[in-house]
Amino acid sequence: MWRNMCFILLMFFSDSASKKKANTGISKSAKDLLNKEERRLTKEKIECSIKSLSIKTLDSLRAISENDKLIACSIKYLTDKPDSGWVWSNLGHAYQLIDKTNHAITCFKQTAKLTGKICPHVKEWHFIGPFVIGKTEVDGDPIEAFGGIRNVSKQRYKKDFVLYSELTKSGVVRWSTYKQSTQDELIKIDPGLNWNELVNALGSMAIMEWQGWVVGEFSVNEDNLNINIQCLGVHTVYIDGLVPVTGDVYHRPDYWHSINLAKGIHGIFIQLRTTAVQAFRCSLRVSVDSVEISKPRFLPDLYQGHLFGLYIALPVSNLHATKWLKITKCAILEQKHTDALTLHLEPVSIAPGQTLPAVLTLDSNREIISQTCEDIYLKVKLWTSAGQEVYPLTLRCRKSGESFLFTFMDHDGSVQHAAAIEPTKGCDGEVCAVLLTLHGTTVPPQNQADSYKRMVKGKFVFGYENMWVLAPTRHGAHNWEGPGSLTAMTALSRLEEMTKTKYWIKYTSSSQHVIFAGHSMGGHGAWHLACHHPDRALAVISLAGWIKKEEYGDSNLFFKHDISTSHVDPAIKQVMEACIAENDVDRHISNIQHLPVLARIGALDKTVHPFFVRRMYRLLKEWKVDVKYSEIHNKEHWWWDTSETNDGGAVHDKQIRDFTKKHSTLKSAKCSPDTKESCENSGGDLKYSKRLNQQRFTLTVMNPALGEGLHGVKVLQQIVPFRKSLVKGKVTESMVEIETENVRRFDIEKLPDIAWKHQDIQILRNISLYKNWRSPY
């Protein structure tokens, strides 16, 4: 009997202690609110009829706006479990909707006491998908036909709710959930499909690309907070389905976006796009600082102790959600191994939540910054409207015979960078041709430049004796088209400008004497740039280069699996395809008819199949181009050793070195970088002198805005825009005969080999594709 009484007493005290512990974190005002609301609900005969209450049940009531029931059930839940911060936020959110401000304030204060000012991450994500998607853009959203994601997301707690997708066996998809335990956890969404069956049935790897939506929620428990959000692995995030926030598909953890939100529960809506499995992460924090400086993606090197590139792009984030940030000036606080550097800054204003590069310009009161070519350590100070910021930087010093990075102002006003290698011996006339080498996917510019190396007597020798090596870059999937091509050509011009103005650089580079080269994506770039800038070209070296992205494997299929295929007007599709035809190098082969070409690929290449290079080989032969083609036995996409160890490999072995040597020599002691014509007339094995015997040429143009023309002829305007235009020329001793097709206007530049100013020009005829065609504009 005494044992039973002791057990009962022990259970009583244990239960009392548990209740006391559970209520420890509950404020008096929160307790009073629960008691007061319980009495009110009883008096008004409002009750929670749900027997088995859970947080999921409460969330479902809020999603469908059952506000009275949500309040009653939240009160019931908190009476038993008052330490649930999320339910307090739920209750506060419900009170806000019916303008019970004081009740809401009490709830959010209690939440902040339990869980903090904000929820640092979404604890449960709701996913619906997968749906098919096209390759070129995000494509149409199939959910829009059912009311859009904001409306569809209200049904995410209903088990019988379905949407429709041709990717699944049943043809339907349902909402599923993914838990997130910590702020740093990577969420991996796997639709669980039999991808092999789909790929085999449809004959396309591109079917593995899909789209879908994820929805999550977080609570904000105080007003006027600078909230930072960072979502990695996705392109755009919508807060509450309305406010767009930039994500980062490259998973860079450096940049945060600032937003200002009222107290309450807020939604994150993300449209996913991926292949097979989607991995992403979203984090939230309350910003302590309003300014954050990130590590620059690249910095200019000193070369032989001198300044070469002058620009530093320092990423600065304005983490304040409502105020603009102004950066007014900069200075160097400390510098190690030199005292000769100064910095200048054009004032910049950064919008709330924006990250923008502050462009710093290096200068010096001495020509040589470091006599011993040591790395320079700097402490840079910025004056901003939010205070002063200090950031350390290190500038490398590179020596002769090494590649070096330089920065330049690009065509669009952004700071970009490239790698270069100076000629190891020199060039006749103090002007050197340039090997413009374009890298493949993910290859940094310095790695691309450094791939031009070979072992000589136990030491690596980089670059060429008589030619500059230039390896530009541009972040993003541009494929050396569009902005990528403009950046490459700008880097070419900037290198010439810099080598002209640096007295300590002995050999100037010539932007008019170029061997276009590249590997993989860069191999396509070499074709592309040569076809649109043939008058600059000495030769073309395309290594494992594909022809057009839309036909390269399944990388960028055009209107194959797209949602929009079922809706777009064929005429619109025609316009869209015409807008990218300028990037199809096979359509422009006539422009390199008179250039020497080296096309090469590994016989076992599984990344870019030899099929693509073989096709270019056939087309070049049709135009009677001087082309050398080879498939390297037993080699795949990349290799370092072709015939011997460290002989230059995929991009720099003996075959390539012999080819470049033959077509890069500029022979003239009088050739000056200041006079383009004198260099072009300088004799030797030059691009223009070689073409004097070529009496006929054909310029092919799809878009007059791209490129510089052929043999001095440039199309300025088409009769029918974005249809193929041709200029066919025949050069005789006394006359130049020109026949055009779909050309309204063209220009003629006075090039030395054509000598237009000494010959008559006769326009034979102009063929119009449509006789009565008129622009609708």
Side-chain angles (χ1 to χ4, degrees), residues 392-443:
L393 296 172
T394 300
L395 305 182
R396 300 185 309 173
C397 189
R398 306 287 283 176
K399 299 176 181 178
S400 180
E402 297 178 330
S403 64
F404 63 94
L405 296 177
F406 68 94
T407 53
F408 59 92
M409 198 62 68
D410 205 357
H411 65 278
D412 57 359
S414 66
V415 176
Q416 299 297 336
H417 71 302
I421 304 176
E422 191 179 9
T424 56
K425 287 192 176 179
C427 318
D428 294 335
E430 298 184 353
V431 173
C432 294
V434 178
L435 180 86
L436 182 65
T437 175
L438 306 177
H439 62 72
T441 305
T442 73
V443 179

Side-chain angles (χ1 to χ4, degrees), residues 214-421:
V214 286
V215 179
E217 292 177 319
F218 64 97
S219 62
V220 176
N221 305 312
E222 279 191 24
D223 281 327
N224 301 315
L225 295 177
N226 278 325
I227 300 171
N228 299 158
I229 181 170
Q230 181 188 79
C231 290
L232 308 180
V234 296
H235 55 84
T236 308
V237 176
Y238 297 92
I239 304 300
D240 296 331
L242 296 172
V243 182
V245 173
T246 302
D248 193 323
V249 295
Y250 300 104
H251 287 269
R252 294 172 297 184
D254 304 323
Y255 309 114
W256 294 76
H257 190 95
S258 296
I259 49 176
N260 186 266
L261 297 171
K263 290 195 296 283
I265 292 178
H266 297 275
I268 298 179
F269 297 77
I270 306 175
Q271 188 174 14
L272 303 178
R273 163 189 193 127
T274 192
T275 301
V277 177
Q278 171 77 62
F280 74 96
R281 184 181 76 197
C282 278
S283 304
L284 296 136
R285 71 183 187 188
V286 177
S287 177
V288 177
D289 301 316
S290 57
V291 182
E292 188 169 87
I293 300 175
S294 302
K295 182 180 178 180
R297 290 289 163 184
F298 50 84
L299 290 167
D301 292 330
L302 298 181
Y303 182 53
Q304 299 184 49
H306 297 78
L307 279 177
F308 198 86
L310 303 179
Y311 301 106
I312 295 174
L314 195 63
V316 180
S317 298
N318 179 6
L319 299 182
H320 202 285
T322 58
K323 294 180 180 178
W324 282 71
L325 177 71
K326 294 183 179 180
I327 305 175
T328 53
K329 65 176 182 177
C330 68
I332 297 176
L333 289 183
E334 298 178 22
Q335 45 188 311
K336 188 177 179 181
H337 299 146
T338 189
D339 59 359
L341 289 175
T342 58
L343 273 179
H344 307 284
L345 165 77
E346 285 292 325
V348 60
S349 295
I350 304 177
Q354 184 183 31
T355 297
L356 200 66
V359 179
L360 314 180
T361 305
L362 288 162
D363 201 356
S364 175
N365 53 17
R366 292 202 301 265
E367 287 291 343
I368 299 181
I369 309 303
S370 174
Q371 294 281 357
T372 55
C373 196
E374 295 183 78
D375 293 350
I376 306 299
Y377 303 94
L378 305 175
K379 272 192 179 179
V380 176
K381 184 176 183 179
L382 300 181
W383 279 262
T384 79
S385 54
Q388 299 174 1
E389 300 290 329
V390 177
Y391 195 84
L393 296 172
T394 300
L395 305 182
R396 300 185 309 173
C397 189
R398 306 287 283 176
K399 299 176 181 178
S400 180
E402 297 178 330
S403 64
F404 63 94
L405 296 177
F406 68 94
T407 53
F408 59 92
M409 198 62 68
D410 205 357
H411 65 278
D412 57 359
S414 66
V415 176
Q416 299 297 336
H417 71 302
I421 304 176

Side-chain angles (χ1 to χ4, degrees), residues 86-99:
W86 182 256
V87 179
W88 280 106
S89 291
N90 243 335
L91 184 58
H93 189 86
Y95 283 134
Q96 279 189 151
L97 294 177
I98 57 175
D99 295 325

Side-chain angles (χ1 to χ4, degrees), residues 636-755:
E636 297 187 2
H637 194 57
W638 180 266
W639 65 93
W640 287 110
D641 314 312
T642 301
S643 301
E644 302 174 0
T645 303
N646 293 323
D647 62 356
V651 300
H652 194 54
D653 64 11
K654 188 176 186 303
Q655 182 188 27
I656 296 175
R657 294 197 306 273
D658 289 346
F659 181 85
T660 54
K661 183 177 181 180
K662 179 179 179 181
H663 299 292
S664 63
T665 304
L666 306 181
K667 297 178 181 178
S668 174
K670 297 180 180 179
C671 183
S672 165
D674 299 320
T675 56
K676 170 183 169 184
E677 186 168 336
S678 64
C679 293
E680 291 162 347
N681 279 324
S682 59
D685 201 11
L686 296 180
K687 59 177 182 177
Y688 292 121
S689 61
K690 283 188 68 176
R691 298 176 196 171
L692 284 171
N693 295 324
Q694 306 294 340
Q695 300 298 320
R696 296 178 183 273
F697 65 90
T698 300
L699 170 65
T700 303
V701 174
M702 302 301 295
N703 177 10
L706 176 64
E708 297 174 332
L710 172 65
H711 285 279
V713 179
K714 177 176 172 59
V715 175
L716 300 179
Q717 187 179 7
Q718 297 170 302
I719 297 173
V720 183
F722 293 103
R723 295 292 300 273
K724 183 167 71 172
S725 297
L726 298 176
V727 178
K728 298 178 181 179
K730 179 181 179 181
V731 182
T732 68
E733 292 182 359
S734 60
M735 183 174 294
V736 178
E737 297 176 354
I738 291 180
E739 181 180 314
T740 65
E741 182 176 317
N742 192 36
V743 176
R744 187 177 296 278
R745 293 180 179 87
F746 66 89
D747 183 33
I748 297 175
E749 182 183 4
K750 296 176 181 178
L751 291 180
D753 64 333
I754 302 299

Side-chain angles (χ1 to χ4, degrees), residues 16-39:
S16 299
S18 298
K19 288 185 177 179
K20 185 176 181 181
K21 184 177 180 181
N23 287 287
T24 301
I26 308 303
S27 67
K28 182 179 182 303
S29 58
K31 290 179 186 177
D32 292 342
L33 175 65
L34 291 178
N35 294 331
K36 181 179 178 182
E37 283 295 276
E38 271 191 300
R39 291 193 297 270

